[in-house]
Amino acid sequence: MLSVSSSQPADKPAPKDSSWASWLLIGIALAAVIALAVVNSTGKGTESAAPVSSGETQTIDVGVDGMAFTPSSIDIEPGTHLVVNFTNSGDQVHDLKIGDAETGRVDPGETVQLDAGVIDSSEEGYCTIAGHKMQGMTFQVNVGDGAAAGHDHAVSSASNPHVNVPTAAELGAQRDDFSAFDATLQPAAETKTHKETWTMTEEVVEVAPGIKQMRWLFNGQAPGPTLRGKVGDKFEITIKNEGSMAHSIDFHAGEVNPDKTMKSIQPGEELTYKFTANRSGIWMYHCSTMPMSLHIANGMAGNVIIDPPDLKPVDAEYNFMATDVFLGEESTGADAQRVADGRFDLMAFNYYPGQYDAEPIKAKVGDTVRLWLTNLGPDQPLSFHVVGEQFDTAYKEGAYLIKNEDSTGSQALDLLPAQGGFVEMTFNEPGTYSFVNHIMTNAEKGQHGKFIVTE
């Protein structure tokens, strides 16, 4: 097969116009000159401006109280040169970091001066030792307009979209205007028939330091009233729904037909719940309207104590109910989705975290005390422990684990949600005895309190 090619010469390429390239080079050079002029005129380039001093130096003394700096914040004007005289008045090593300035580790009783430099915007100082910032060791420097706003809690609203969750230090801080839920337990009445009338309401109350939200309440309180009696006693509890939604009640202390007694009661209605206490023990009760977890989380739970027949006399009795605390909007209460997901914010005895740190319980040397315990949940387990003490009696779910022992003892009582028991101990020395959920992360979220024992 033959290939055929043209005998005509190929066309010559047209000459290229290079003028556009010249103009491009000129433009680039001009832009570079302009940029250099701008940099030289400002003296900044792309670097951040250094703080401009107002010429004022402010010195502040900062100490430590527990796991908090005191004071925990300062208000200054922009450009203030801040100097901090930091005294570690706590009982363990701490430090303080503000911006790039750090004290380094400071032993208890020592004082170190921290030159924080010129401050032109608000920032948070903190203790850098692992876990201390989370426990509340933050120091807020509020500058200018931010000063009036005060400081946020160390646990930011990112952990809960509705509120700033209080720190451990804030939970246990003592306040003149605070009154803890009375945990004192009175002896069982001699009557054989116990008749009471309770209301069911929805009310906005304080649920943690500085936080108010809707709670659903039996008789205006959370936890609800405690019933106490003896085996064979009869109980007639009339509950009136004065709220805006359906509620109900389920007494674990009674053996009854749930269809008749545990039904939801509509607003404006009432129901009389009757049961006989056939067995001793510490029994939970709660609202059984769905979702039960939300009704319990919002405050609708309590306990019934039916004394074992051989219960010995003691100097004092206290009633602690372990509860998970879920925060939410003030007008609606616990966030329903967070409750459903089990994402609790705080932990408590008797529905208010840290209240027995803020207002410790007082006792005397030689006192034998009985602590009744119920885990109301709705989800978290309890491992109850008193620091510095041992239990000579421990009772759980209807049976003694140990009883009036001298040569052995118990260090913790474990209770799952809806379980109950009690422990007994004698204070032999004066001092501060903390009681905790020994699931320590839950203790640090507010399931913690104190006995102050004196001569």
Side-chain angles (χ1 to χ4, degrees), residues 17 22 25 73 134 153 164 186 207 240 246 248 296 334 380 410 427 447:
D17 185 358
S22 300
L25 291 173
S73 66
M134 183 186 70
H153 300 297
N164 288 319
Q186 299 302 321
V207 300
K240 296 182 177 182
S248 58
I296 294 170
Q380 292 297 305
S410 172
F427 294 115
Q447 216 156 47

Side-chain angles (χ1 to χ4, degrees), residues 139-220:
F139 180 79
Q140 187 69 29
V141 181
N142 300 309
V143 175
D145 293 338
H151 74 284
D152 289 336
H153 300 297
V155 182
S156 72
S157 58
S159 63
N160 185 306
H162 309 290
V163 296
N164 288 319
V165 180
T167 65
E170 290 168 325
L171 293 176
Q174 296 188 4
R175 294 173 284 155
D176 293 336
D177 60 345
F178 178 73
S179 181
F181 183 90
D182 187 2
T184 305
L185 185 66
Q186 299 302 321
E190 292 301 322
T191 181
K192 293 297 183 182
T193 300
H194 307 259
K195 293 184 178 182
E196 295 191 18
T197 298
W198 298 352
T199 59
M200 297 185 293
T201 57
E202 298 117 32
E203 304 174 32
V204 173
V205 298
E206 186 176 84
V207 300
I211 298 176
K212 290 185 176 182
Q213 70 182 39
M214 186 70 71
R215 276 266 167 92
W216 305 344
L217 306 173
F218 287 117
N219 234 32

